[in-house]
Amino acid sequence: MRTVTRLYLSNDTSARAAGAGVLADAWSEHPEVQLIRISSRGAFYLEPMVERDSPAGRVAWFNVTAQDLPLILSGTDGTPVRSIPFLAQQTRVTFANFGETEPLALDEYQARGGLSGLETALRIGPDAIIEELQVSQLRGRGGAAFPVWNKWKVAQQARADQKYVVANADEGDAGTYCDRMILEGDPFRLLEGMLICARAIGAGRGYVYCRQEYPGAAKTLRAAIQKADEAELLELDGEPFPIEVVEGAGSYVCGEETALLESLEGKRGVVRARPPYPAQSGLYGSPTIVSNVLTFATIPNILSRGGAWHAALGTERSRGTMALQLGGRVKHPGLVEVPFGLSLHQILEQFGGGMAPGSRFKAVQVGGPLGSLFPASQMDIPVCYDVFAKAGAVLGHGGIVVYDHETDMVDLARHFMAFTADESCGKCTPCRIGSVRGREILERIQAGSGTIEDLALLHDLGDTMKVASLCALGGRAPYPVLTAIEHFPAEFRAKLRT
Amino acid sequence: MREQVKSVLARVRSKPPNILKALLALQERLGHVPTEAVSEIASALGVTTAQVAGVLSYYPDVRLTAPGRHLIRVCMGESCYANGCGRLLRELQDRLRVDVGETAAGGKFTLDTMSCAGNCAVSPTVMIDRDLYGRLLPSQLDTLLERYK
Amino acid sequence: MKLEINGRPVLASSGDTIYGAAKKAGVAIPGLCSSDHLAPFGSCRLCLCEVEGQNGLPASCTTPVREGMVVRTESERLNRLRRNVVELYLSEQPAGDRAPESLQWLAKSLGLRQVRYPQFSHRLDVVDRSNPFFTFDNAACISCARCVRACDEIQGTHALTMLHRGFASRPAAGAASLTGEAAGFASSNCVSCGACVKECPTGALMEKTVAEQGLPERTVRTTCAYCGVGCAFDAGMRDGTVVNMVPADDGPSNQGHACMKGRFGWTYNYAPDRLRVPLLRQGNKWVEISWPDALDRIAHEWVRLKDTYGPDALATISSSRGTNEENYLFGKFMRCVVGSNHIDNCARVCHSATVTGMMDTIGASAATNSIQDLDVAKLILVVGANPTESHPVVGARIKQAMRRGATLIVIDPRRTELARLADLHLQMHPGTNVALLNGLGHILVKEGLIDRDFVRDRTQGFKEWVEVVESCTPETTSKATGVPAHLIAEAARRYATSGGSMAVHGLGMTEHRWGSHGVMALVNLALATGNLGKPGTGINPLRGQNNVQGASDVGCLPTYFAGYQPFDSPELAAAHLAVTGRPLPTARGMKTPDMWDAALAGTLKSLWIIGYDVAQTDPNLKKVHAALRNLEFLIVQDLFLSETAKLAHLVIPGASFLEKDGTFTNLERRIQRIRKAVEPPDGVLPDWQVVCEVSARMGYPMWYGHPSAIMDEIAQLAPMFAGVSYDRLEAPEGLQWPVPSKEHPGTSLMHERSFPKGKAQFVAVDYLPPGESPTETYPLVLITGRILQHYNCGAQTRRTGIMQVVDTDVLEIHASDAARLDLHEGEVVRLVSARGEARLPVMVSDRVQPGELFTSFHFPDTDLNVLLSSSADESSKCPEYKVSTVRIEKILPPETSSTPMHAMLIT
Ligand SMILES: Nc1nc2c(c(=O)[nH]1)N[C@H]1C(S)=C(S)[C@@H](COP(=O)(O)OP(=O)(O)OC[C@H]3O[C@@H](n4cnc5c(=O)[nH]c(N)nc54)[C@H](O)[C@@H]3O)O[C@H]1N2
Ligand SMILES: Nc1nc2c(c(=O)[nH]1)N[C@H]1C(S)=C(S)[C@@H](COP(=O)(O)OP(=O)(O)OC[C@H]3O[C@@H](n4cnc5c(=O)[nH]c(N)nc54)[C@H](O)[C@@H]3O)O[C@H]1N2
Ligand SMILES: Cc1cc2nc3c(=O)[nH]c(=O)nc-3n(C[C@H](O)[C@H](O)[C@H](O)COP(=O)(O)O)c2cc1C
Ligand code: SF4
Ligand code: SF4
Ligand code: SF4
Ligand code: SF4
Ligand code: SF4
Ligand code: FES
Ligand code: FES
Ligand SMILES: [Mo]
């Protein structure tokens, strides 16, 4: 009798894009292999990564090709997963299941502690849930970092026939992918977080607004919802709590909560003025909690382990862990879950492994396309909300993109402004016209016809956009551009007409 | 087409009507949303043609014209930018002799850009139909395109 | 709530924005995108302000006030930001003077001297001229979306949208722009209400009349002379002519809104074929005669006829389009000079059944509540009315009520716009109101949904009513009306339990064989549920013409004197004698249909008709025409040579509402001023002066220096107008009668504590079928009524740009009937009834049910009213316009039977 070896291979989109898909196809003909498609550990520089069980835990092979099968079956040259420094140095709490479980295996999820947060929530009731969150000091992970308990309390106290829970799975910031990983890799954690929220505020319906660029995520999540439904999880107090996945259509600003709600209603994804805030009047005018996927996914642990446990992690006003996502010209791109407080330098060295081969460091951008640029001299800034805010920067959704020596800063600045001009919803003047004017100025500079007055105008325009824009798209757009000019002035000046 | 429009829209009818959902469902079926169908859509949903036009023109992913047999989308996000998506895009433009948004002669490929595919850790990223490719080098494009008939 | 703005203490109410509070306190904050009529939006970013203790600069137009807030709206920093925003706006506009004035003005006041973005991209240069009344110039637009929001939030038509996004985002009508077409309005569902034009801060949307003739230099406040809503307007004047009509924000019934007709349909005033000179018939020809000759002629004929045949040989029909003063005078003329009560007005064919129905139950026949009550009603019940077309500003208000969450129930055989939007549409067969309303009553009784206290304290006759509705089970009701039983029950429950249900009704109630009964059946429901005498409730007839309420109020009725005073009142007789010097005739006069019979019988010799085209709009036209032809002397006073005027012996030109002073009373009993804005053509006399002149020539001089003196006399003789006078009417809100004294503020809500007769009366009525039912020869039921774009006989609207939108009556037919009869869109058919035939083009429509047809009566060529019978409501003589049985005949050969047409259905 031939023995069948269980091999673990990630089914995460990025793992597949890195070759896991091809690998799975190639090995599907091998009866001696039983491939288990799990979530990804997030060490993407190692993907496709194949693991097998050993008495000392999982052993892994990196950057595997189809030809590596005999090697793996023979068990040689594997690395114990536990000893991979990139993973070992992390504090995996929200992402504890990643690389371990099959995303749609509800029993595994439960076996590893899943649903106990919900159980607690059902037991202690709405007020206590919110108290627990207050103790935890959890702040929203979608960008604005608003205290979660506070928002929930507003929605809880609002009187209304209907209330909604909406998970923001638009993950628009380039350089971020942790929401996608959760949707694809641990979808029940998101659903559990949403159910806890629904329980806390008394909501009767849930939506997940998923960006269109994530077809795999939407598919997995829909399957997870069906499984949860079959397991009779989607009900509260005997009332059904249906959750629907709704896909976007390629608009970045639809990640902004009010534009998201417009889009969810099937309308133009244009930003609404606040107040009223969604927690008071959101979807179809009803109280609505819009929270980020990562935020929801963080909540089950808080309920099961207690708010104090969460508050013990991180720094003074940035509690818990943050999922940082490394990308660009870093050597080890991937997901890093650590408590707040490490410096950018530490993160890039300890986890990023330095620069990609052949690259020299130029700048790092934190917080997506609207995030500030940091030059080498500012790398000791700690990753936490308040220091970033003081520096005029944002942590955003935790995306960290590293640019190397080949980056043309003028072109990069133009790229940023062009992004805002392309993605502006067109509602408010500073962003609708200003972003195009900004792009045009940078194009002139790039073409060699810009003047020193143009740079001054760009600053004045940037200032106007920052304070006068209706939402953070126009309001943040100047930051990457102006920090590029600030830190690399020579590159701009060199292009000016004299 | 009228019948197809009708049958698709019958599936997504809701109160209040959801225009975006209806448009995406139609696009799923027809590959694009033909402008001739706008009044049909409006009356099926019980909204006005202006309301449909407003939504239709807002979302970059709702297409008014039929794409080629395959849709190539190059991610323009920052991680991909840092990893050379600009070069990839130029290469594709040269190879297919099309600009962004255009369909190559013969109707095989339509070239487009996209925003971040969440594949930043293995960037640069190109999406062809629903398949995602990462760590793509310009030199790999030929073999890649050959896979699509 | 107290706050501080720029160092000054300011009082505001919670819910105000900083912008609104500042405005009230006289602090102007720059801003282009906000409007009192629209929800907070916050797009231009000019109104930013500084709030103590708050980071950033909130937009004052979207930020609610808080107690103790300290706000600064002016500072160097704010000024610089505003300057930069205006600079951005100007950077996308055509250079120099072509930029909108409002932007140029802002630039100047903010000290912006130079735009630092010289050769940057501009707005797309597209102009949409396809609306007949206004143009849209995208180059001059700032994409503030006020127009789009106006169309959504004020008018509820959603004809506009913002298109694209980012820099390219711009407003557009319909969907034509998607294919690069500029003509968006023409192919959209725009109803040309003009709300977008009014909201536009830049003139990108502009009236064509203003574009051609220039901006107005001054305005004259007046009231629309079309429908009974009574919208207040400012007539924009330049060089002695009207260049635009803009609805007034302080107009009590319209609050700045209007409809196509009032807003743009006033240009008939300058139509080349306005009557300018009196015309005397000589054989088949008209000869122009002088004013003195014309007036002499009337006096001469009437003295002669009265002397020969007595007062019963003379009658008048007064115009519900004219002023209260004119109408009162005409009545006075009949009573004091002719000595009879043979006077009627076109309320007869309209809401006379309401008058009977409400008089017998409530004891007063006018709307119990006010238009503003639509803002507080929890539920609105629309019975046999089509407000979004017939009373468009009320229609828009109902749509606004729905936006805020009010429930809407529509009872109508047709799927009107409101029926489509409604929570419940009870689509009954025409002529079955009594059956349906009794059916609702049955549920109220059966399910104990009765307001017992109200019934006990304020009504009588409840038992009798219960006995009648007992047998009206959902099943029998459903059978008679065609409405599913569950909808009947649901409607009754919601009406009874909403916490405030307001009924509005129209001609679908009154113009029936049993119209008065229908009104009574409706009143019974309001009495049973206590929906009377409270805000947001009541029975509210949507009176039709601009002054049909007033014409009846001031006594142009054969049955009542001014103020609905019966002729047999001794006090009235004494007062009348004292004031007029003549006794008040006590015998009831002839109603309009009686006049036709009298004319045909030869006893009526002369009829004087002011502003009423009976030869087109009364039913059974063959009979009406025969009656008119049988008269010895027919006098018609009109703006145009109407169908009736064509049959006259003497035609007198009339002065339009823009050419005279006076008052109209709208459908909520509100007396409002109209003011002379322009001179009538060629010395045309207003109707009231014509009456005075003739009266004088007949030996009873009536000299009034100004219509205000006439109003003083009305106040003297009619207690419900006792407190009305022109100085009080200077206030923009006018006065709602009853106004029993000079100190009385007017009455917005009637019957709060008691009814005129003390208690209100349930009048139990049984369902009786309409005058005609389908037969093999006439298998289809024809409903007639109005459409948005045209007005009644059409004499006015057919002489405006509205013809570019609709230029024909159309026969609406259900697709299944059209298919069965092999009819195609635009095909002209012959419509045949037992009385005659009419011709009109067919339009397939989902507004009508199978077996039923609908058309309007706005074009004389249609000859529609030839089809209708003289069947009428027994007590009020209101004609049965809403039910006639007909058949459709194809006209062959088919190629000759199609006409190119402009038509537009509001759905
Ligand atoms: N645009 C425009 N506005 C006008 C006018 C105009 O000519 N044009 N005329 C003015 C005048 S004079 C008047 S009186 C008002 C009239 O205003 P409305 O009362 O709105 O007049 P209609 O359109 O004749 O009829 C109203 C509705 O009654 C419905 N109906 C017919 N039969 C029945 C029935 O048996 N039961 C019920 N429940 N409904 C039925 C019809 O389908 C129609 O929708 O409008 C005034 N405003
Ligand atoms: N088939 C059918 N027929 C109907 C109806 C229906 O629903 N169906 N509805 C009926 C109803 S409710 C009504 S109210 C009637 C309305 O029918 P009409 O009263 O005949 O029509 P209007 O168009 O209101 O006005 C009549 C005339 O008044 C003139 N006029 C306007 N202002 C003035 C003025 O200041 N002075 C003078 N001297 N003349 C002026 C106009 O030029 C016009 O010729 O139609 C009725 N006919
Ligand atoms: C332009 C813009 C884009 C945004 N995109 C996202 C997004 O993709 N995902 C997200 O969770 N939040 C996004 N946000 C933040 C949301 O508005 C909102 O603050 C967040 O979803 C709240 O969730 P949280 O409290 O869990 O952070 C965006 C905000 C702006 C201004
Ligand atoms: S400055 Fe940052 S790291 Fe330091 S305590 Fe405050 S939030 Fe934490
Ligand atoms: S800042 Fe840009 S995206 Fe945000 S509301 Fe203004 S125009 Fe829209
Ligand atoms: S005129 Fe009235 S209906 Fe037409 S687009 Fe403007 S607001 Fe809308
Ligand atoms: S047309 Fe006028 S109201 Fe409409 S967006 Fe342009 S400027 Fe604003
Ligand atoms: S709603 Fe009536 S009163 Fe107002 S503008 Fe229109 S026709 Fe005139
Ligand atoms: S930046 Fe291209 S996949 Fe994220
Ligand atoms: S007026 Fe407040 S933003 Fe325009
Ligand atoms: Mo009427």
Side-chain angles (χ1 to χ4, degrees), chain C residues 224-231 233 258-263 390-393:
Chain C
C224 177
Y226 276 119
C227 88
V229 175
C231 296
F233 275 92
C259 83
M260 178 194 292
K261 297 180 294 300
R263 182 82 155 93
S390 305
H391 302 87
V393 165

Side-chain angles (χ1 to χ4, degrees), chain C residues 329-330 333 608 610 687-696 702:
Chain C
L329 274 200
F330 215 27
F333 168 77
W608 184 354
I610 304 185
D687 298 342
W688 66 273
Q689 284 184 10
V690 173
V691 177
C692 289
E693 292 289 339
V694 172
S695 184
M702 305 194 279

Side-chain angles (χ1 to χ4, degrees), chain A residues 251 268 273 275 422-430 432-433 436-437 440 457 460-461 463-464 467-468 470, chain C residues 41 43-45 62 64 77 80-81 84 88-89 91-92 116-117 120-121 123 142 162 164-167 169:
Chain A
S251 157
R268 294 165 54 81
D422 282 348
E423 296 298 340
S424 164
C425 79
K427 177 167 173 175
C428 75
T429 322
R432 177 176 70 79
I433 310 177
V436 171
R437 296 296 173 250
E440 287 167 339
L457 180 56
D460 195 21
L461 171 66
D463 196 39
T464 305
V467 281
L470 172 60
Chain C
F41 193 63
S43 78
C44 75
R45 315 309 286 170
T62 60
R77 182 176 180 218
R80 187 177 62 86
L81 287 171
N84 284 355
L88 285 173
Y89 273 140
S91 78
E92 61 165 357
R116 292 168 293 174
Y117 310 96
F120 289 80
S121 52
R123 299 182 65 89
I142 58 167
M162 293 304 282
H164 307 297
R165 56 180 194 164
F167 186 72
S169 72

